[in-house]
Amino acid sequence: YSFRGGSSRAFMDFERAFPGAEVVRLVKNYRSPRVIVEASSALIRGNAGRTGNDASAVLEGGEITEVECRNEAAEASFIVREIERLMGGLSSLTVGKDEDARFSDFAVLYRTNRQAEALREAFDKSSIPFHVVTPPGPVLSELAARLRGMPFEGSIKETVERGLKDVGAGEDISLMVLNAVGSCEDGAEGIKALADELFLLSPQDNLDIKADKVNLMTLHAAKGLEFKYVFVAGFEDGLIPLRARGGYNDIEEERRLFYVALTRALGSVYLIHAKERRVYGEAREAKVSPFLCEIPSGF
């Protein structure tokens, strides 16, 4: 939960702070099947800042499927069609598997809120009930996380303006944040203080886990949840892991976040990436996430 100010150092420093403390490791994973547990365990070993604890799966099976699409529109269309297929076919154009699934068994996860637009458009055209989950202060939380990972260049106002542009903040939010800049000291410490304040301004989320709808949400909002089928949209270099100006965000935090996405699944994960994606209205070539190479082959 570093995006809310937490630090994994608390775990690593605990034994030094409290000599003789007993460490009890939870060594069995009861949620995800073997394929997903082994893939996610291999992935997270890439982080140095962690305490080792490779849990074994109680359940057998599981599936991870890599899918390449032409662009974000094709990506969204694939997700809709696959959900229709798994639900048993919701139109004469789909032939379903009839997996005895409910709409609430499906989640579509993405790294940034901007990705929701193409997904929402595809779901609007379908007969699938869906809900776009607004994580706590989606834009404010994303902005705060972005500001913490951005290099400080120029003035605090210039740095914040770059962050606002990166997250696609609207006029109202931009005005509110820029007004708050006036009360912050200039420099990196001022940016950190502003990011802390933005988290406190975040409202509650609007997730209704009882509703029988497909949930569309950011990777951050998926923490603590579980679904039979998980679609990870935008599984591309620059999104997962997120690449800010001048380089990646904290790569270990990005790896932990992708680990969260993988381990939300009770059965199947789809890793979907596009050949090109529009960024600020311009179509750009996209490449599959480098995290793919960290997952064992043969999944």
Side-chain angles (χ1 to χ4, degrees), residues 202-257:
S202 301
Q204 296 298 311
D205 66 29
N206 65 340
L207 173 64
D208 181 3
I209 60 174
K210 296 181 180 179
D212 190 21
K213 299 180 179 181
V214 176
N215 282 295
L216 281 60
M217 66 183 78
T218 63
L219 273 62
H220 282 114
K223 290 186 178 184
L225 304 177
E226 59 186 29
F227 305 91
K228 189 173 181 180
Y229 301 96
V230 170
F231 295 82
V232 180
F235 184 56
E236 297 152 22
D237 188 9
L239 285 175
I240 301 175
L242 190 66
R243 187 193 295 271
R245 295 173 186 271
Y248 291 121
N249 282 14
D250 181 343
I251 193 66
E252 294 208 351
E253 173 64 7
E254 293 295 312
R255 188 177 285 110
R256 283 192 290 268
L257 195 53

Side-chain angles (χ1 to χ4, degrees), residues 27-278:
V27 296
K28 292 186 179 180
N29 186 313
Y30 291 89
R31 171 193 286 145
S32 300
R34 182 182 56 80
V35 167
I36 293 171
V37 170
E38 291 182 357
S40 57
S41 295
L43 170 84
I44 204 63
R45 289 189 198 109
N47 276 12
R50 62 184 289 266
T51 56
N53 188 38
D54 290 336
S56 61
V58 172
L59 303 174
E60 287 297 319
E63 185 177 21
I64 300 177
T65 303
E66 178 197 356
V67 179
E68 183 180 72
C69 298
R70 186 177 69 259
N71 53 31
E72 63 264 39
E75 172 185 66
S77 295
F78 166 79
I79 293 171
V80 167
R81 291 196 310 271
E82 186 67 4
I83 292 175
E84 289 178 343
R85 187 180 73 86
L86 292 167
M87 285 294 294
L90 303 180
S91 73
S92 61
L93 300 179
T94 56
V95 178
K97 293 177 64 176
D98 193 12
E99 294 276 0
D100 193 28
R102 292 164 51 85
F103 290 114
S104 54
D105 288 330
F106 297 87
V108 182
L109 310 183
Y110 40 86
R111 182 62 178 84
T112 69
N113 288 292
R114 290 193 303 273
Q115 294 170 254
E117 183 178 346
L119 294 164
R120 183 196 291 270
E121 184 176 335
F123 275 90
D124 275 335
K125 294 176 181 177
S126 75
S127 57
I128 298 175
F130 72 99
H131 176 59
V132 180
V133 177
T134 305
V139 176
L140 292 177
S141 293
E142 189 177 345
L143 173 63
R146 181 64 61 89
L147 290 177
R148 284 175 172 168
M150 288 177 62
F152 183 82
E153 298 175 351
S155 66
I156 185 172
K157 183 174 182 293
E158 291 169 335
T159 302
V160 170
E161 285 176 339
R162 288 196 301 274
L164 288 166
K165 182 178 180 181
D166 285 347
V167 301
E171 183 177 351
D172 291 345
I173 289 180
S174 296
L175 183 61
M176 179 188 71
V177 173
L178 289 172
N179 283 339
V181 167
S183 61
C184 299
E185 62 176 292
D186 205 8
E189 286 302 312
I191 288 288
K192 182 180 182 300
L194 178 61
D196 291 341
E197 289 299 319
L198 292 178
F199 279 126
L200 297 178
L201 291 173
S202 301
Q204 296 298 311
D205 66 29
N206 65 340
L207 173 64
D208 181 3
I209 60 174
K210 296 181 180 179
D212 190 21
K213 299 180 179 181
V214 176
N215 282 295
L216 281 60
M217 66 183 78
T218 63
L219 273 62
H220 282 114
K223 290 186 178 184
L225 304 177
E226 59 186 29
F227 305 91
K228 189 173 181 180
Y229 301 96
V230 170
F231 295 82
V232 180
F235 184 56
E236 297 152 22
D237 188 9
L239 285 175
I240 301 175
L242 190 66
R243 187 193 295 271
R245 295 173 186 271
Y248 291 121
N249 282 14
D250 181 343
I251 193 66
E252 294 208 351
E253 173 64 7
E254 293 295 312
R255 188 177 285 110
R256 283 192 290 268
L257 195 53
F258 178 48
Y259 175 89
V260 167
L262 285 177
T263 55
R264 297 312 88 198
L266 301 170
S268 299
V269 176
Y270 293 80
L271 303 177
I272 313 167
H273 54 96
K275 292 182 179 179
E276 69 174 30
R277 188 173 296 273
R278 299 191 74 81

